[in-house]
């Protein structure tokens, strides 16, 4: 059992001891950073006993376990979350106070582990939190990147990328497990030869091998003694990695091998839109998949005798296609190392594996060039080749003469390995992340597969952990909810619905308004202190925070703000109340257009600030380096949540759910999970605008619409765009919108968006009405807890059950 701290006094005692062990210093002499490190180590001590007990319990019960493979886990800071999960936050606060320290000043000193780009990576982090909270036996598997997602600086209104040195002061939550290291092989050549028993065996020779060392991070559940594991693999050079293969002596080769090896776990890729580094990205994908699987199989071997029962005890989940090499890698292990035949290995592989798709953007569908793939992973390639041969043969028997369709479902085609096709063929379950997204997968993106395997397809609408995104980020709101309906909602977020009867209660509304104002005040203070910028805390806070991508249409937002500016120049009363538009998000380093949008936002912000007639009413602020910690400040302070992607493009969105949980009103298109938010809260409690997904798809089929016509008809659009023409910096955007015919329907949706903003302002001026809507959003947000999502995965896909520890 965990030896929880019994009193602040005991905490002080333990803290003093730990400070000596770690730094040989008295508490009073510690720098704030060291205070953080001492505290984190104390919390880890609390977690440790339960961690081992959890592992032993799973083994003793021979329970089925799920392993969630994801190339990203966007964790955010862990001290606060871990303290909360252990129930020790108050004790730590009091104890630190006795020592003369302030917990709230210490927590921001933790580096924010940004081992992810955006939605996909953050979803993985929410899922492992929910797995532990639900006492489900489930673990994460990924890479211990030395540098996470770049740090974004803004210089002269433009994004500049700096390396994220999150490991500089060490990562106190991890434990290095050198004894559990495994080897991962690259290169060489592979071929089949007779095995002397009438069959074939594979020979793989001349490869080099890389040492994979696991670093384990405990994932504690919410006050329930369950502690699961996030295993992060690091690549290390091993002198015998080459020498062992008879390639010793060639010193240049050895040096090159050492450098490449050390690169494998060095950087998180900001996306795959850059050509350079593609080989390294493929190495990363194979690296964590192979290492993870080897360790899972080894553990299985220690527990069970018969590998033919693997799928009864192990579920493997692949978060998008980045870990899809898990499929041929499991085949390799079962056949080459365990001596199974193809059919048996294939049955086990498909029965163990499940796959989530996160995007239908064609440029994000992974493909690898065959020569690259084959030279890097010759044995795995042989397996993929055989798999492709068998799959296409079966497909052609089913659809004779339909070569057009066979082309679409092939795993190898046009000199490329198509990872999505590999993932679908090798999984027993394929899911999308919101109802609309799953429908699009079934009806178009993956339709030929849906025809063959309709039973594999299912929807699992995303969710976010309400522990981090409400309990931890917005304590005053959490307290108000608990004062109103009791604390059951914390373990059963669906019970947030019990707030519904209070939506018109004036005293509840007043308190809700006060909480929102407090959060806005806190944000305003923070912005003043850290950026030196003044923001009116009584203005309406309209926030768009997410990765920069043209389909997410930050451009639509800023063009609209610019149109307000133009209107205010003509008429100072054109806008009824002051509004603050906050933006945050990173653009991939190689994504030129998205970076121009960031520049445009800064340019409009400057124009407004320089214009006395306008700046009383409008403020635009771009908050640099948007990450999990900044998100935790922003969601609670939002009045309006901008979710304005081109319909059909955003698979789900998860920021939309975080805003809703914190009582913001969605201003959005019917895209991704907005569709489900809208269904839950109704037209009265969100503002929907713009083209529907079917309309967008129809335009795409028919070659689009004429943006020139709109330009000619709508005077405001014309005035807004003419500014671009005058400024060469923005000519690319002008080209996109007019000459290249507005691929994301920014101009097409402009009028509807303008109208939606007017509707927001009308509603905001009706205070009781607005607060009612805010309350309804919070009350209905329980549906978007990742606890609901993860229970559905556990029940429908993984078939794992909770285990009490
Ligand atoms: C969707 N990231 C959101 C979210 O399901 C959705 C792609 C390539 C390489 C690295 N990262 C990526 C994504 O594709 C991604 O984050 N997708 C997002 O997944 C969770 O809510 O709509 O865009």
């Amino acid at each position: 059992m965990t030896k929880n701290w019994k009193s602040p006094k005991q905490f002080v005692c333990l803290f003093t001891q730990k400070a000596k062990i770690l730094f040989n210093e008295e508490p009073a002499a510690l720098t704030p950073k060291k205070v953080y490190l001492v505290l984190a180590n104390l919390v880890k001590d609390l977690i440790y006993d339960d961690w081992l007990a959890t592992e032993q319990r799973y083994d003793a019960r021979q329970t089925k376990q799920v392993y969630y493979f994801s190339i990203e886990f966007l964790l955010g800071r862990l001290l606060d979350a871990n303290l909360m999960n252990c129930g020790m936050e108050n004790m730590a606060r009091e104890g630190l106070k006795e020592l003369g320290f302030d917990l709230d000043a210490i927590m921001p000193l933790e580096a924010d582990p940004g081992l992810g780009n955006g939605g996909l990576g953050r979803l993985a982090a929410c899922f492992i939190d929910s797995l532990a909270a639900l006492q489900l036996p489930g673990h994460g598997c990924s890479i211990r990147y030395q540098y996470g997602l770049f740090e974004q600086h803004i210089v002269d209104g433009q994004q500049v990328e700096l390396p994220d040195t999150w490991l500089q002061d060490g990562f106190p939550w991890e434990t290095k497990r050198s004894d559990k290291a495994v080897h991962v092989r690259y290169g060489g050549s592979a071929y089949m030869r007779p095995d002397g028993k009438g069959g074939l065996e594979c020979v793989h020779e001349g490869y080099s091998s890389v040492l994979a060392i696991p670093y384990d991070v405990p994932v504690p559940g919410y006050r329930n003694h369950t502690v699961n594991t996030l295993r992060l693999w690091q690549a290390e050079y091993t002198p015998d990695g080459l020498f062992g293969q008879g390639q010793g002596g060639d010193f240049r080769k050895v040096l090159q091998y050492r450098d490449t090896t050390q690169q494998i776990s060095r950087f998180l890729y900001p996306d795959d839109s850059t050509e350079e580094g593609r080989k390294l990205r493929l190495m990363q994908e194979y690296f964590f998949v192979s290492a993870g699987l080897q360790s899972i199989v080894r553990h299985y071997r220690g527990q069970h005798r018969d590998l033919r029962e693997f799928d009864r005890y192990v579920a493997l989940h692949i978060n998008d296609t980045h870990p899809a090499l898990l499929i041929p890698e499991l085949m390799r292990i079962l056949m080459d190392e365990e001596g199974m035949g193809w059919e048996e290995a294939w049955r086990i592989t498909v029965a163990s594996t499940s796959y989530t798709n996160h995007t239908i953007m064609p440029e994000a569908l992974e493909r690898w060039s065959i020569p690259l793939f084959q030279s890097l992973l010759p044995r795995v390639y042989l397996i993929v080749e055989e798999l492709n041969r068998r799959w296409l043969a079966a497909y052609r028997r089913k659809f004779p003469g339909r070569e057009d369709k066979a082309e679409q479902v092939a795993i190898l085609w046009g000199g490329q390995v198509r990872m999505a096709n590999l993932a679908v063929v090798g999984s027993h379950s394929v899911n999308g992340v919101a109802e609309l997204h799953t429908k699009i997968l079934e009806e178009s993106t993956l339709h030929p597969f849906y025809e063959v395997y309709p039973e594999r397809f299912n929807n699992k609408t995303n969710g976010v952990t309400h522990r981090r995104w409400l309990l931890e980020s917005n304590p005053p709101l959490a307290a108000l909810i608990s004062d109103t309906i009791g604390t059951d909602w914390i373990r059963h977020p669906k019970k947030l619905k019990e707030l519904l009867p209070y939506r018109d209660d004036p005293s509840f509304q007043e308190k809700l308004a006060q909480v929102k104002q407090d959060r806005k005040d806190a944000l305003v203070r923070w912005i003043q202190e850290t950026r030196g910028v003044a923001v009116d805390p009584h203005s309406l806070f309209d926030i768009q925070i997410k990765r920069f991508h043209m389909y997410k249409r930050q451009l639509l937002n800023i063009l609209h703000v610019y149109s307000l500016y133009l209107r205010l120049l003509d008429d100072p009363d054109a806008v009824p109340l002051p509004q603050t538009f906050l933006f945050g998000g990173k653009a991939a380093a190689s994504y030129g257009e998205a970076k121009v949008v960031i520049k445009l936002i800064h340019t409009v912000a400057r124009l407004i600030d320089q214009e006395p007639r306008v700046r009383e009413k409008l403020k635009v602020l771009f908050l640099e380096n948007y990450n999990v910690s900044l998100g935790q400040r922003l969601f609670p302070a939002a009045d309006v949540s901008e979710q304005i992607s081109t319909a059909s493009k955003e698979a789900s969105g998860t920021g939309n759910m975080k805003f809703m949980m914190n009582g913001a009103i969605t201003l959005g298109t019917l895209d991704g999970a907005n569709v489900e938010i809208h269904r839950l809260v109704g037209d009265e409690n969100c503002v929907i605008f713009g083209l529907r997904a079917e309309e967008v798809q129809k335009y795409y089929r028919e070659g689009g619409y004429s943006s020139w016509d709109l330009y000619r008809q709508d005077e405001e659009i014309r005035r807004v765009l003419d500014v671009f023409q005058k400024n060469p910096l923005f000519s690319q955007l002008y080209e996109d919108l007019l000459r290249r015919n507005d691929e994301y329907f920014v101009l097409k949706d402009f009028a509807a968006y303008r109208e939606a903003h007017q509707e927001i302002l009308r509603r905001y001026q009706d205070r009781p009405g607005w607060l009612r809507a805010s309350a309804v959003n919070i009350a209905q947000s329980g549906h978007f807890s990742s606890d609901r999502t993860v229970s559905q995965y556990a029940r429908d896909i993984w078939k794992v059950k909770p285990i009490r520890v």
Side-chain angles (χ1 to χ4, degrees), residues 71-72 116-124 268-272 281 319-320 322 356-361 363-366 432-434 437 462 547 551-552 649-657 672-673:
I71 203 156
E72 307 188 351
N117 275 287
L120 169 151
R122 182 53 226 176
L123 188 76
L268 165 77
Y269 278 89
D271 66 4
D272 44 21
R281 173 77 167 188
N319 194 30
D320 218 294
H322 321 120
T356 299
N357 174 289
H358 291 268
T359 177
I360 58 160
M361 300 297 289
E363 65 268 29
L365 287 182
E366 278 194 299
V433 289
H437 170 59
N462 283 166
R547 282 299 289 255
Y551 85 79
K552 294 178 188 281
K649 296 285 179 187
E650 188 71 273
S652 161
T654 42
N656 46 4
M657 302 167 185

Side-chain angles (χ1 to χ4, degrees), residues 708-725:
W708 279 111
D709 288 348
L710 264 182
Y711 176 80
R712 284 189 213 101
Q713 287 155 19
D714 190 315
E715 195 198 325
E716 195 159 58
I717 289 182
R718 204 160 53 239
R719 277 183 76 194
V720 168
L721 290 198
D722 282 348
V723 174
F724 285 174
Q725 238 179 345

Side-chain angles (χ1 to χ4, degrees), residues 466-477:
H466 62 288
R467 284 167 293 277
R468 179 174 292 260
W469 296 109
L470 176 44
L471 222 44
E472 184 189 326
S473 333
N474 199 346
L477 180 57

Side-chain angles (χ1 to χ4, degrees), residues 766-782:
D766 163 20
R767 290 307 284 159
W770 185 267
L771 291 165
R772 181 201 311 125
S774 176
V776 170
N777 272 278
I778 299 166
Q780 295 290 10
S781 71

